[in-house]
DNA sequence: TATAGTTAGTGTCGTTTCTACACCTTACCA
DNA sequence: TGGTAAGGTGTAGAAACGACACTAACTATA
């Protein structure tokens, strides 16, 4: 394998959202600093999935690479939402220790470009760069490493804004999904409750959400009809809105 | 004056929009490379207003600094919209020459964080860092330096998206403005035509656009009533939308 | 001082969308 | 075959939308 030269002052952080049928989740990675002489853990906490980029790589390619390494998937929803470069963003005590241990200069300023991603699968690699990976409900996220709480917060803001105006909810669902699943996505992300009948009337107007002949299987109640999203129809029928919020 | 250390791999580029009553404009800066031996100009073109940041400065502070240097204003609308870091973004021939002449390494990769700004004044400094500054109608912008055409394009996309959902149009107008002025802003930015009566009905529903008792002066026709935007009212009355575009 | 020129400002009607609200249907399972 | 659990549907009143044309107010100038 050929080593490609790293650019060590640019990184991407990917806020990877998932949905388990109940809650919005985010993918986090264990960070444990082991004292080399005693072998004991100095601290352990969690980070977002981030990565440096290669010198000849675009930031978007780097973000897709992170996603591919975690999931094996290539066509994943990905959106650059904000960039973080505060001079103190890596300067908490544990962060400095971690960087030093990793052979990096904790005083060096690193720009991190934030992407958020919506995954339709819970199937992720369990180990990434030798570290454990897991889903954590967004509501249960505690204190994260670096400025990752802030990055997560901004990712949520970007997600909520985007989902209000663009059809992206089903990126968190399998290709074929039920309207109840979709409604739940909106309810969870926007912390709101929606009326089932009104929601369905709205969906019926969106010609790009197309009912199939298939139904749910393996449920112990009336199975729901499954829908698919058609990007072609969406691109054809979308119109521009002018409606700054009252 | 104390020299603060520069961070030479992070920069901000500010896409500064203005409105002259007719068109959307963007602020551009002359870039002329003078051959040191012959004294002749090797090329001349235009750039956006960008700047490196100081080592202890946040990127937002740097963007505000650029705006302040150009306008003397401090409370200007500013929005971080996208970050540009393509490996080849500074590698056009003229760009390499310019960087070399400036004592910088053209092979070094520089991340640029894009901000767009809306200015309510046409009063700008005429010279900035020894370079001429001028307003150019967006429709008449030719080929710019570096990747600045792309940055401008993305800024326009961000502006159009934002203005559809958030009340920011009047950031391009004086504190007190007429509804016709406001309508023109929307028409120009969204390349659309709006019905005057329907526009005004919509405005009437937005309680944060408040009519004053004042009228235009110095116009040779019926003077229009002036309105002001109230941020307090806006923050109180805004509600969340859920309406992904049909 | 009357008039021409210019922009401001306003109402209605038919259509679409919004909101609130309750019951029957379908399938599985015990 | 009856209980359980979610799926799926319609209506009516209110609000917003889009299309459409005339009068009002002010200035300049003849």
């Amino acid at each position: 394998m050929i080593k490609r030269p790293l650019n060590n002052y640019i990184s991407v952080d990917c806020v990877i959202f998932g949905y388990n049928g109940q809650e919005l989740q985010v993918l986090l990675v264990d960070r444990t600093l082991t004292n080399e002489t005693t072998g004991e853990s100095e601290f352990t906490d969690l980070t977002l999935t981030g990565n440096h980029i290669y010198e000849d790589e675009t930031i978007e390619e780097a973000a897709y690479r992170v996603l591919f390494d975690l999931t094996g998937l290539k066509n994943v929803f990905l959106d650059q939402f904000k960039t973080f470069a505060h001079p103190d963003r890596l300067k908490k005590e544990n962060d400095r220790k971690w960087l030093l241990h990793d052979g990096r200069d904790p005083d060096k300023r690193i720009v991190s470009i934030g992407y958020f991603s919506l995954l339709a699968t819970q199937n992720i690699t369990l180990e990434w760069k030798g570290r454990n990976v897991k889903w954590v409900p967004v509501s249960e996220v505690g204190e994260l490493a670096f400025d990752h709480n802030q990055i997560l917060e901004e990712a949520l803001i970007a997600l909520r804004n985007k989902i209000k105006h663009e059809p992206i909810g089903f990126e968190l669902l399998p290709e074929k999904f039920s309207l109840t699943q979709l409604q739940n996505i909106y309810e969870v992300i926007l912390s709101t409750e929606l009326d089932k009948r009104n929601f369905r009337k709205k969906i019926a107007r969106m010609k790009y959400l197309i009912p199939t002949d298939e139904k749910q299987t393996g449920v112990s109640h009336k199975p729901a009809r499954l829908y698919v999203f058609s990007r072609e129809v969406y691109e054809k029928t979308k119109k521009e809105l002018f409606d700054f919020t009252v």
Side-chain angles (χ1 to χ4, degrees), chain A:
Chain A
M1 175 184 156
I2 298 167
K3 266 270 186 187
R4 297 156 78 190
L6 262 193
N7 182 314
N8 59 2
Y9 57 84
I10 311 177
S11 70
V12 293
D13 280 308
C14 295
V15 183
I16 302 174
F17 291 113
Y19 178 67
N20 60 3
Q22 314 272 4
E23 297 171 292
L24 187 67
Q25 298 175 306
V26 61
L27 206 56
L28 298 177
V29 186
D30 278 330
R31 177 177 79 160
T32 300
L33 183 63
T34 309
N35 185 306
E36 294 197 344
T37 51
T38 67
E40 284 176 13
S41 135
E42 291 212 9
F43 66 82
T44 182
D45 55 11
L46 294 163
T47 73
L48 294 171
T49 55
N51 216 181
H52 277 277
I53 64 167
Y54 294 116
E55 196 50 67
D56 60 351
E57 187 180 43
T58 67
I59 46 181
E60 191 168 293
E61 283 163 359
Y64 275 117
R65 177 166 50 79
V66 171
L67 285 166
F68 181 77
D69 289 348
L70 284 158
T71 65
L73 299 173
K74 293 226 165 179
N75 293 312
V76 182
F77 175 89
L78 188 65
D79 189 60
Q80 187 195 307
F81 68 96
K82 188 156 189 183
T83 290
F84 300 85
H86 195 283
D88 299 334
R89 61 180 291 267
L90 308 180
K91 301 224 168 137
K92 287 190 291 190
E93 191 51 33
N94 282 352
D95 300 333
R96 293 180 64 89
K97 281 188 196 164
W98 171 267
L99 292 168
L100 273 172
H101 181 87
D102 203 32
R104 288 151 66 191
D105 177 0
D107 291 318
K108 188 161 178 79
R109 188 155 167 188
I110 296 180
V111 184
S112 186
I113 295 128
Y115 284 82
F116 78 88
S117 177
L118 303 179
L119 276 196
T121 174
Q122 300 286 108
N123 299 327
I124 49 166
T125 179
L126 296 175
E127 219 180 67
W128 182 65
K129 299 160 75 179
R131 295 159 63 188
N132 289 326
V133 176
K134 63 184 175 201
W135 289 111
V136 178
V138 166
S139 60
E140 293 170 21
V141 171
E143 191 176 341
L144 300 176
F146 308 117
D147 57 349
H148 287 188
N149 286 99
Q150 192 199 341
I151 295 179
L152 172 58
E153 198 51 51
E154 296 275 355
L156 279 167
I157 290 170
L159 169 59
R160 290 191 190 114
N161 268 323
K162 191 142 188 149
I163 206 173
K164 275 185 266 178
H165 308 298
E166 285 175 55
I168 58 170
F170 36 76
E171 301 283 355
L172 287 163
L173 293 172
E175 192 198 341
K176 296 178 181 174
F177 51 86
S178 74
L179 294 189
T180 301
Q181 288 176 312
L182 189 62
Q183 182 178 338
N184 284 341
I185 296 267
Y186 283 92
E187 291 181 332
V188 164
I189 292 179
L190 298 175
S191 308
T192 184
E193 289 201 6
L194 299 172
D195 178 85
K196 183 163 59 162
R197 277 174 290 191
N198 293 340
F199 182 81
R200 282 159 191 251
K201 269 183 287 183
K202 196 156 195 164
I203 296 298
R205 261 179 268 124
M206 300 172 179
K207 303 303 184 200
Y208 49 84
L209 289 179
I210 302 173
T212 69
D213 290 335
E214 292 179 58
K215 302 195 168 194
Q216 275 180 319
T217 53
V219 290
S220 75
H221 54 74
K222 177 173 175 178
R225 179 184 289 274
L226 300 180
Y227 284 69
V228 292
F229 169 70
S230 160
R231 184 156 302 279
E232 299 103 287
V233 177
Y234 173 64
E235 295 296 341
K236 269 186 214 148
T237 61
K238 79 177 164 184
K239 60 178 186 221
E240 295 302 321
L241 270 189
F242 162 60
D243 87 359
F244 57 94
T245 309
V246 177

